[in-house]
Amino acid sequence: MPKYSFTAEGLADTLTPGETTSARGTLSASSPEAAKKAVEKSLRSRGYELTESVSVATQ
């Protein structure tokens, strides 16, 4: 499976209202779309709401 790097800016912390952060990392996925969906799902499961989009690039 290809590796992708991602950047997620403007993450609102739903557990601490008013706090925002960003995240960067890498993951393996079958396509860029699958990588983006996986990142969004993972961030939401950790209590973050996306206020901006996630960018994904082939590594």
Side-chain angles (χ1 to χ4, degrees):
M1 244 189 268
K3 285 194 172 189
Y4 297 94
S5 59
F6 71 87
T7 302
E9 300 289 340
L11 299 173
D13 188 339
T14 59
L15 302 176
T16 311
E19 293 292 319
T20 58
T21 190
S22 62
R24 290 174 182 77
T26 60
L27 73 157
S28 296
S30 57
S31 69
E33 295 81 15
K36 185 175 180 178
K37 284 183 181 182
V39 169
E40 290 172 350
K41 183 178 178 180
S42 177
L43 291 170
R44 285 193 182 100
S45 74
R46 288 170 169 74
Y48 293 102
E49 188 60 42
L50 295 165
T51 60
E52 297 179 29
S53 64
V54 174
S55 61
V56 175
T58 305
Q59 212 179 20

